[in-house]
Amino acid sequence: MKKEKRDKLTFAGMLIAIGIVYGDIGTSPLYVVKTILQGNGGFVHSNIELIYGSISLIFWTIMILTTVKYVCIALNATNKGEGGIFALYTLVKNKAKWLLVPALIGGAALLADGMLTPAVTVTTSVEGLKDVSINNIPLIKNQTEVVFITVIILSILFLLQRFGTRSIGNMFGPIMMIWFTFIGVAGFINMLPNLGILKALNPYYALHILFSPDNKAGIFILGSIFLATTGAEALYSDVGHVGKHNIDGSWPYVFLCLILNYLGQGVWVIEHLHNAGNYAHVGDFNPFFEILPGNWRFVGIVLATIAAIIASQALITGSYTLVSEAVGLKLLPRLKINYPTLNHGQIYMPAVNNILWITCVGIVFYFGTSSKMEAAYGLAITVTMLMTTILLYHYLKDKMQNLFLPLLMVTFFGTLETMFFISSMVKFVHGGYVTAIIAGLILLVMYIWYYGKSLREKSEQHSAFVSLDDYKDQLIALSKDESHPLFATNVVYMTKVKKHHCIKREILYSILDKRPKRADAYWFVTVNVTDEPYTAKYDVDMLGTKNIIIVQLYLGFRRSQRVNLYLRAIVNDLMESGDIDKQPQKYTTTKGRNVGDFSFVIVQEELSPETELISAFDKTMIQMRVALQNVTSSPASWFGLEFADVVNEKVPLILGKRKVPNIRRMRHKSNN
């Protein structure tokens, strides 16, 4: 969605927002009431007070956390229109270094919870088919078939990511609009027999049920209630795609439809308490599907499945965005990004897609049923909300120049979210440990990458960057020194060239120290990806020479990064302008060829054994970071050099003070 359109409140914009932003929270009615009843001993042991209190808790949780915190407060804390925990961290990172900690924890938890959501929503929807028959033949006979169908749906969904979802995305808004209208109408119709359920909107019932003997779960009921608002973080994360005003305009309708459905489910449960025993044999009892009469149920299951897929799609693309932001903040290694469409905001990350797919499918196989998945669901997102609250406090404190209101905000929301977190901790032993492990692994990778980077930057003896200006004379001399064999006509290093012509020290170590590489020309190339799809420009700086060439290559995000092809075109261009000398080839299949051969040198760092005077922990962190860098970043693939002459070269990475070996010369006694 273009910036000028997303910043305006339009019907089309609100429709797109409904399709993109509310998938997660919009599918919550599929399992929230079901989970609450299961946590209290099942439908058979339910009572009117529990239902009134639960519906009240759901209403006020969505009102306070989603509406007040996120829609009214967080959506105003954006970084150039972009939201989410990493965008918020970018706004406050200069306030205190320790704010990186909540950003890392919150980001890792959000990614972990996003891996569980597609598995939960799709499985819950497919399970609804177990109660549907055609000519007395059930569509799905057992849970094994549910798992099989769920895995197929998820696999197809992840497979389609590489082709882009622009055409599918255009349908998301209307479909989700139908979904919300459907659940709102279904809830309203079921609410009519007992309009007394509206009393549940009184906060008294929410507070009363927490300490009432009618609630067997006690305060831990909040762990199930919290599932109603798990999609709140998505509103903030996706604000950059649809704009704040379109979320503000569409949220009241979405909120109304959600509450109507919860009220309708509540009335249905109350009206059927007298014959609850009739449902004791139903293994997958779900009030959401029970409130749908006759043919409505099949329509509801189809819509629920589509809504679950849309919710999953939104979380998948949201994960790409989150990882991309983390890479930009140097919190994760560089990963390959593809752009399936002309929309720069729509990205596809193969590595992330594969990890998400494997994890989601693994979760489906491991848990087997939606009930077991729901027991693990929501724990991680409470952590993310807490971390967002901490970062929001520092943002508001600086923005408002007032300590009282931000302190009131962090105290209120922090206390509420801490209660949800404590109540969700009971889920840990029932499956929450799975998301905790996933979040822990993601956090470990982030920590290793960031800590390793900081170690390199503050090392006293390791000069990370050196200026080419200081080595210009040596490079010119080496180029003319025929005592060294010609390594290649053009030696190319893909490297970031910073201000004052600074590059990584390892690059010059590779040219001058490891094995002097004589070449007619030394190329230092930086690729910059632009927001326009088909940009193809370059800038050049030759330091006043004819054989040291710094190239800034500007390629549109839809351009294939075939650097060797662009470089040959640049060489011809510079030869025609006389900036560099021609490179005639004696042996060639191309008549009149004036461009020499190219050798692309890929430098891979290896921690040097000489790195002795740093702690064992720091050394381990550096080694793990180097291993991550070598595994995740393949420059040959990244820059389209698969068919070019590529030389992979290892250079020592020396940190800390270099230990001087203690060795003495042996003294032999004279025979005289």
Side-chain angles (χ1 to χ4, degrees):
M1 194 171 180
K2 293 184 178 180
K3 185 179 185 301
E4 58 270 18
K5 289 185 178 180
R6 85 178 179 197
D7 288 342
K8 295 180 180 179
L9 177 64
T10 64
F11 178 76
M14 290 191 291
L15 198 62
I16 293 172
I18 288 175
I20 293 177
V21 174
Y22 304 114
D24 192 3
I25 199 169
T27 52
S28 295
L30 286 170
Y31 45 76
V32 172
V33 177
K34 169 189 169 186
T35 306
I36 292 170
L37 296 180
Q38 288 174 340
N40 264 272
F43 183 26
V44 177
H45 297 92
S46 301
N47 54 70
I48 295 177
E49 287 74 17
L50 174 67
I51 302 306
Y52 271 73
S54 298
I55 300 300
S56 186
L57 281 170
I58 290 171
F59 174 79
W60 286 105
T61 297
I62 298 176
M63 174 63 77
I64 294 172
L65 285 185
T66 308
T67 305
V68 177
K69 178 185 174 182
Y70 283 96
V71 176
C72 297
I73 299 176
L75 289 188
N76 293 300
T78 58
N79 180 28
K80 298 178 181 178
E82 297 294 333
I85 193 163
F86 286 139
L88 181 57
Y89 167 68
T90 303
L91 295 173
V92 300
K93 65 180 181 179
N94 294 327
K95 307 302 175 186
K97 289 184 177 180
W98 68 268
L99 291 175
L100 174 67
V101 176
L104 288 177
I105 295 174
L110 187 58
L111 279 171
D113 208 71
M115 293 178 181
L116 190 60
T117 301
V120 173
T121 53
V122 176
T123 303
T124 304
S125 302
V126 175
E127 282 177 345
L129 291 171
K130 291 175 72 174
D131 296 327
V132 177
S133 300
I134 298 178
N135 296 327
N136 294 322
I137 300 175
L139 291 179
I140 295 180
K141 298 176 182 178
N142 51 53
Q143 193 64 27
T144 302
E145 293 183 6
V146 170
V147 170
F148 181 71
I149 293 173
T150 301
V151 169
I152 289 176
I153 291 173
L154 288 173
S155 298
I156 292 174
L157 181 63
F158 282 105
L159 181 65
L160 291 175
Q161 299 304 309
R162 70 192 65 215
F163 303 110
T165 55
R166 184 179 182 184
S167 58
I168 301 174
N170 291 336
M171 297 186 296
F172 282 2
I175 291 174
M176 290 303 291
M177 186 72 175
I178 293 171
W179 165 254
F180 282 114
T181 303
F182 177 83
I183 65 173
V185 170
F188 179 73
I189 292 173
N190 278 271
M191 187 182 74
L192 291 177
N194 183 4
L195 292 177
I197 192 68
L198 292 173
K199 291 190 298 184
L201 304 185
N202 186 332
Y204 163 79
Y205 292 95
L207 295 173
H208 175 73
I209 198 64
L210 290 176
F211 310 100
S212 170
D214 294 309
N215 169 24
K216 298 178 181 61
I219 195 173
F220 294 109
I221 193 177
L222 292 177
S224 299
I225 297 294
F226 183 76
L227 298 180
T229 192
T230 52
E233 191 74 29
L235 272 73
Y236 185 34
S237 299
D238 291 334
V239 63
H241 295 289
V242 298
K244 174 185 181 300
H245 298 302
N246 289 314
I247 293 178
D248 289 340
S250 58
W251 171 243
Y253 181 74
V254 171
F255 182 43
L256 175 64
C257 292
L258 288 172
I259 297 306
L260 285 174
N261 191 265
Y262 285 122
L263 290 169
Q265 289 190 55
V267 169
W268 186 93
V269 173
I270 292 172
E271 294 292 312
H272 290 78
L273 283 175
H274 64 280
N275 63 342
N278 295 337
Y279 297 88
H281 68 284
V282 181
D284 297 303
F285 171 74
N286 190 336
F288 177 84
F289 293 115
E290 296 299 331
I291 70 173
L292 304 176
N295 294 331
W296 278 51
R297 175 172 294 195
F298 183 73
V299 174
I301 291 170
V302 172
L303 282 174
T305 304
I306 296 173
I309 292 172
I310 292 174
S312 301
Q313 175 63 54
L315 285 162
I316 292 168
T317 54
S319 296
Y320 297 155
T321 303
L322 199 63
V323 172
S324 177
E325 289 174 346
V327 171
L329 288 168
K330 303 293 190 292
L331 302 178
L332 282 175
R334 185 175 62 178
L335 297 169
K336 189 171 181 61
I337 300 176
N338 295 334
Y339 298 88
T341 72
L342 296 179
N343 181 1
H344 191 207
Q346 187 174 118
I347 63 177
Y348 167 66
M349 306 181 78
V352 176
N353 190 72
N354 292 338
I355 292 171
L356 287 173
W357 172 66
I358 292 170
T359 306
C360 281
V361 170
I363 286 170
V364 173
F365 279 121
Y366 180 74
F367 287 105
T369 67
S370 63
S371 298
K372 292 180 180 178
M373 294 179 203
E374 288 151 12
Y377 191 40
L379 174 60
I381 204 69
T382 59
V383 176
T384 301
M385 286 190 171
L386 270 168
M387 299 304 105
T388 299
T389 297
I390 293 171
L391 296 176
L392 264 179
Y393 164 71
H394 287 272
Y395 171 80
L396 293 174
K397 185 176 68 171
D398 181 64
K399 190 79 172 177
M400 303 175 78
Q401 298 294 318
N402 182 316
L403 187 61
F404 175 73
L405 289 177
L407 194 60
L408 182 64
M409 185 278 300
V410 74
T411 302
F412 178 72
F413 289 115
T415 302
L416 186 62
E417 288 161 355
T418 299
M419 290 175 62
F420 278 114
F421 173 71
I422 293 172
S423 61
S424 295
M425 279 301 294
V426 74
K427 296 181 177 184
F428 186 85
V429 295
H430 297 292
Y433 60 87
V434 173
T435 46
I437 291 171
I438 295 171
L441 291 173
I442 297 171
L443 183 60
L444 178 63
V445 171
M446 288 181 172
Y447 177 75
I448 290 170
W449 193 255
Y450 182 83
Y451 187 71
K453 172 178 170 289
S454 63
L455 279 177
R456 290 190 53 178
E457 289 178 346
K458 69 182 181 182
S459 174
E460 294 180 0
Q461 296 299 318
H462 178 69
S463 178
F465 289 88
V466 293
S467 175
L468 277 170
D469 294 316
D470 297 333
Y471 295 89
K472 181 170 66 174
D473 293 340
Q474 286 194 55
L475 291 174
I476 294 173
L478 176 58
S479 180
K480 298 176 181 178
D481 189 352
E482 296 186 359
S483 65
H484 290 281
L486 186 68
F487 184 82
T489 307
N490 298 281
V491 174
V492 185
Y493 287 87
M494 306 302 303
T495 182
K496 180 75 173 177
V497 181
K498 298 190 173 185
K499 288 183 179 180
H500 309 298
H501 309 127
C502 286
I503 62 172
K504 281 188 175 182
R505 178 184 176 277
E506 288 80 5
I507 301 297
L508 284 169
Y509 179 91
S510 169
I511 298 174
L512 302 174
D513 296 270
K514 190 173 182 69
R515 185 180 74 172
K517 295 178 177 59
R518 184 166 71 88
D520 290 342
Y522 297 97
W523 299 79
F524 305 94
V525 182
T526 302
V527 176
N528 304 282
V529 178
T530 70
D531 291 340
E532 297 298 323
Y534 294 112
T535 303
K537 298 179 180 179
Y538 78 94
D539 192 19
V540 65
D541 186 347
M542 302 184 63
L543 307 185
T545 72
K546 282 202 169 188
N547 65 342
I548 301 175
I549 308 109
I550 298 172
V551 176
Q552 294 289 340
L553 194 57
Y554 299 92
L555 298 178
F557 63 83
R558 286 284 289 169
R559 286 277 185 182
S560 176
Q561 291 193 21
R562 296 288 176 185
V563 173
N564 56 329
L565 299 180
Y566 291 114
L567 205 54
R568 288 184 182 278
I570 292 172
V571 171
N572 280 312
D573 195 15
L574 294 178
M575 284 179 180
E576 290 180 9
S577 63
D579 290 304
I580 64 174
D581 296 327
K582 293 184 177 181
Q583 303 169 347
Q585 300 296 296
K586 183 176 181 180
Y587 303 103
T588 177
T589 59
T590 305
K591 187 177 180 180
R593 174 180 168 182
N594 289 317
V595 179
D597 60 291
F598 286 83
S599 182
F600 291 84
V601 182
I602 304 298
V603 174
Q604 290 182 306
E605 297 173 330
E606 293 284 344
L607 191 63
S608 172
E610 295 183 53
T611 300
E612 295 288 345
L613 299 184
I614 62 174
S615 69
F617 176 79
D618 287 352
K619 184 182 291 188
T620 301
M621 289 294 103
I622 287 291
Q623 288 172 331
M624 294 176 74
R625 186 187 191 277
V626 169
L628 277 173
Q629 179 175 310
N630 293 336
V631 168
T632 58
S633 299
S634 173
S637 173
W638 186 272
F639 295 114
L641 304 176
E642 295 92 337
F643 303 106
D645 179 28
V646 177
V647 177
N648 288 293
E649 188 172 270
K650 295 181 179 180
V651 297
L653 176 60
I654 303 173
L655 300 178
K657 295 180 180 179
R658 185 177 300 189
K659 186 176 181 180
V660 179
N662 185 16
I663 187 169
R664 293 184 299 170
R665 179 180 177 182
M666 293 180 62
R667 300 293 181 182
H668 298 281
K669 294 182 178 180
S670 174
N671 292 328
N672 296 328

